[in-house]
């Protein structure tokens, strides 16, 4: 993201970092050759063994940021959750999308990343 809002702080470590998760891009809507979009969520959830119902916003297969509809249902406002398929880790990032966007910050604010896995 060009605004420097490419990370979200966490209060517990993940496979990505001790104190944040990356948010380098937001998947689009629609179909383009060799590009993953929000419309690919059903396939990706099945492929990576992710919980459902979610809508994947960003990720690469190992780790995802998703709108999580499990608690609110189809008509409610979803939480935003970090899903780590390799370590079977789930971490609620924000109660809703607006709070998530407002909490985004620059990855440069964080010092001393632990393991930067393939997320």
């Amino acid at each position: 993201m060009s605004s420097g809002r490419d990370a979200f702080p966490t209060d517990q470590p993940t496979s990505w970092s001790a104190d944040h998760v990356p948010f380098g891009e937001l998947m689009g809507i629609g179909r383009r050759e060799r590009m993953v979009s929000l419309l690919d969520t059903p396939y990706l959830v099945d492929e990576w063994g992710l919980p459902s119902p979610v809508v994947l916003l960003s990720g690469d297969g190992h780790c995802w940021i998703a709108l999580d509809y499990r608690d609110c249902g189809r008509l409610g406002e979803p939480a935003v959750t970090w899903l780590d398929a390799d370590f079977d880790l789930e971490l609620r990032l924000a109660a809703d999308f607006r709070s998530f966007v407002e909490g985004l910050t620059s990855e440069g604010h964080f010092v001393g990343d632990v393991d930067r896995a393939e997320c």
Side-chain angles (χ1 to χ4, degrees):
M1 308 197 111
S2 61
S3 68
R5 295 171 57 95
D6 58 357
F8 192 87
T10 62
D11 57 1
Q12 72 182 65
T14 67
S15 61
W16 176 261
S17 172
D19 56 4
H20 71 282
V21 295
F23 190 68
E25 61 187 32
L26 176 65
M27 292 193 296
I29 300 172
R31 304 257 184 231
R32 292 181 107 176
E33 193 171 325
R34 295 192 293 206
M35 296 208 48
V36 179
S37 84
L38 297 173
L39 299 176
D40 294 310
T41 292
Y43 165 76
L44 294 167
V45 163
D46 185 54
E47 179 73 18
W48 289 96
L50 301 172
S52 186
V54 298
V55 174
L56 302 176
L57 300 177
S58 180
D60 73 349
H62 302 277
C63 303
W64 300 94
I65 293 177
L67 295 175
D68 188 345
Y69 287 87
R70 290 178 290 174
D71 289 335
C72 69
R74 293 180 68 193
L75 301 177
E77 189 164 4
V80 178
T81 302
W82 169 262
L83 303 170
D84 186 321
D86 291 340
F87 293 95
D88 196 28
L89 171 74
E90 295 182 20
L91 177 61
R92 178 173 275 189
L93 300 175
D96 53 55
F97 187 69
R98 180 184 184 128
S99 298
F100 175 74
V101 170
E102 289 173 348
L104 287 170
T105 188
S106 171
E107 193 168 35
H109 290 144
F110 301 96
V111 180
D113 292 337
V114 286
D115 301 327
R116 283 208 163 180
E118 295 181 29
C119 297

